[in-house]
Amino acid sequence: MSTRAFLAFLAVCAVVGLLGFGLLSKGEAKVGVGDPVPDRTLPVLGGQGEGSIADYRGRWVLVNLWASWCGPCRTEAPELDEFAQRHRDRLTVLGINVQDNSDDALAFLREFDVAYPQLRSVGSERSEAFGATGVPENFLVDPRGRVALVIPGPVNREYLDAAVVPLIEGKG
Amino acid sequence: MSRRGAFLRLWVSKAPRSVVLLGALLALCATPALAAPQTSITDLEDEVMCPVCGTLLELAESPQAQRQRALIRRLIAEGREKQEIKDALVSQYGDEVLALPGDSGFDLTAYLVPAIAFVVAVLALALGVRRWRGAGGDPPPPGADPPKGEDAERLDADLARYDL
């Protein structure tokens, strides 16, 4: 192979490599049932310190990705709060605020008097980690840290009672 | 002492004390405004993204974009500078809120690759032109060489016959 052909080959490889890296770095990993929950330490929304889903290992965790500008999130927040109160003996609802600004998020929590713990993800990093395509999305995580149920969209009391309660009570 | 300094000393010595105090107060109030030029929402909208929409903020009308604009307006009202507002947006929405790529890490390729491609293209063009000129320009058309031998004699005879 001549030097010129080798240089052309290298140039083509570099361009293809760049395109591939760009595509892979934008790729979303969709989380499925049975997968380990994508987890990382995040700042507590409106408070001091950090937290993660792993802090609740040994309990069921209903991870709720939400944003204050999202209409359906306003509908489900009170229902999630009520559900968290009713099943606090074995389940924690954990809100992760995404693609939002903190002041709006805190105003939202005050408006709906939400009491369950909240973490904050800067930008859409957590949404992408979960493979979420919008908000709200909910993920039920079992006590071993594996995803037990993926709920792409808002939840209400009827749905939670029908789909989540049997799992956390060991009847699913 | 400069003329301006002399004028100030004269003004301070001659003017009533209340006027001097008022002047000093006005100068103090004016200083921050001069140091930190105000920015505007339109100035920022074409430099930041609506991360949820995936478009420039100036093109976005989603609820998230409206909240982002409200945040920017609030920061402007607080007297924040353009870069401070961008930093605040990055702390809330991440790097993806910036319309222009960063100047470090992989983002740097967005600036380097076009620059390198331009330099390579210019070098290739220069080399091509040099090679073309070195080869003597366009090759002569076929048959441009003057005829020789028998052909030359026949050409001369023909030209003589037509008395050209």
Side-chain angles (χ1 to χ4, degrees):
Chain A
M1 187 186 283
S2 70
T3 309
R4 192 183 299 175
F6 180 67
L7 287 175
F9 176 72
L10 276 184
V12 169
C13 284
V15 170
V16 171
L18 272 175
L19 289 173
F21 181 83
L23 284 173
L24 286 176
S25 61
K26 291 278 177 199
E28 291 172 354
K30 190 76 185 168
V31 169
V33 172
D35 292 342
V37 65
D39 194 14
R40 71 179 296 180
T41 304
L42 296 170
V44 172
L45 176 63
Q48 300 292 319
E50 298 179 320
S52 70
I53 302 169
D55 295 344
Y56 303 94
R57 196 59 42 87
R59 289 173 61 80
W60 288 86
V61 183
L62 184 60
V63 178
N64 170 239
L65 302 182
W66 67 280
S68 63
W69 44 264
C70 142
C73 300
R74 306 178 73 81
T75 314
E76 75 169 1
E79 308 231 6
L80 278 171
D81 196 53
E82 188 268 336
F83 186 75
Q85 293 294 327
R86 251 193 310 136
H87 296 280
R88 62 178 175 273
D89 55 329
R90 65 182 76 189
L91 174 134
T92 299
V93 175
L94 177 65
I96 299 182
N97 179 241
V98 297
Q99 299 169 326
D100 206 352
N101 74 71
S102 307
D103 291 343
D104 288 345
L106 291 171
F108 178 100
L109 296 178
R110 281 193 298 273
E111 181 182 348
F112 293 103
D113 203 16
V114 172
Y116 51 85
Q118 297 285 341
L119 301 176
R120 177 175 169 266
S121 165
V122 174
S124 55
E125 186 270 333
R126 279 295 85 189
S127 293
E128 287 170 6
F130 276 94
T133 52
V135 279
E137 289 210 15
N138 294 277
F139 299 83
L140 181 66
V141 182
D142 72 17
R144 295 173 301 134
R146 294 197 171 269
V147 175
L149 184 63
V150 177
I151 312 159
V155 292
N156 55 27
R157 180 178 180 149
E158 290 72 32
Y159 181 86
L160 291 168
D161 285 344
V164 176
V165 170
L167 289 171
I168 64 175
E169 290 182 348
K171 298 172 189 168
Chain B
M1 183 184 290
S2 67
R3 287 181 63 189
R4 190 172 170 218
F7 173 77
L8 277 175
R9 264 186 68 168
L10 182 70
W11 185 78
V12 168
S13 64
K14 298 288 181 192
R17 194 164 288 172
S18 58
V19 175
V20 174
L21 280 172
L22 185 65
L25 196 64
L26 284 173
L28 274 175
C29 292
T31 306
L34 289 174
Q38 278 280 309
T39 186
S40 67
I41 183 92
T42 47
D43 187 28
L44 271 157
E45 270 188 326
D46 60 350
E47 293 180 29
V48 296
M49 303 286 289
C50 164
V52 174
C53 331
T55 62
L56 281 174
L57 183 61
E58 67 178 353
L59 303 173
E61 289 301 331
S62 68
Q64 197 267 352
Q66 301 297 347
R67 296 309 308 152
Q68 203 175 324
R69 281 195 189 93
L71 173 63
I72 293 173
R73 284 198 191 94
R74 201 179 71 223
L75 294 171
I76 291 172
E78 287 173 8
R80 304 277 196 98
E81 288 180 58
K82 191 173 179 181
Q83 191 54 49
E84 287 178 321
I85 294 173
K86 283 187 176 180
D87 292 344
L89 289 173
V90 168
S91 75
Q92 295 290 334
Y93 301 107
D95 288 335
E96 61 206 273
V97 78
L98 298 176
L100 290 174
D103 56 0
S104 62
F106 184 73
D107 288 349
L108 202 57
T109 55
Y111 301 103
L112 286 180
V113 169
I116 291 170
F118 178 75
V119 170
V120 168
V122 167
L123 283 176
L125 197 65
L127 278 173
V129 168
R130 194 175 155 196
R131 185 171 297 174
W132 177 69
R133 292 183 68 180
D138 290 332
D145 289 339
K148 292 171 186 166
E150 201 175 306
D151 289 340
E153 286 172 13
R154 203 173 70 209
L155 178 63
D156 288 342
D158 284 347
L159 289 173
R161 192 183 313 151
Y162 291 107
D163 196 22
L164 293 174

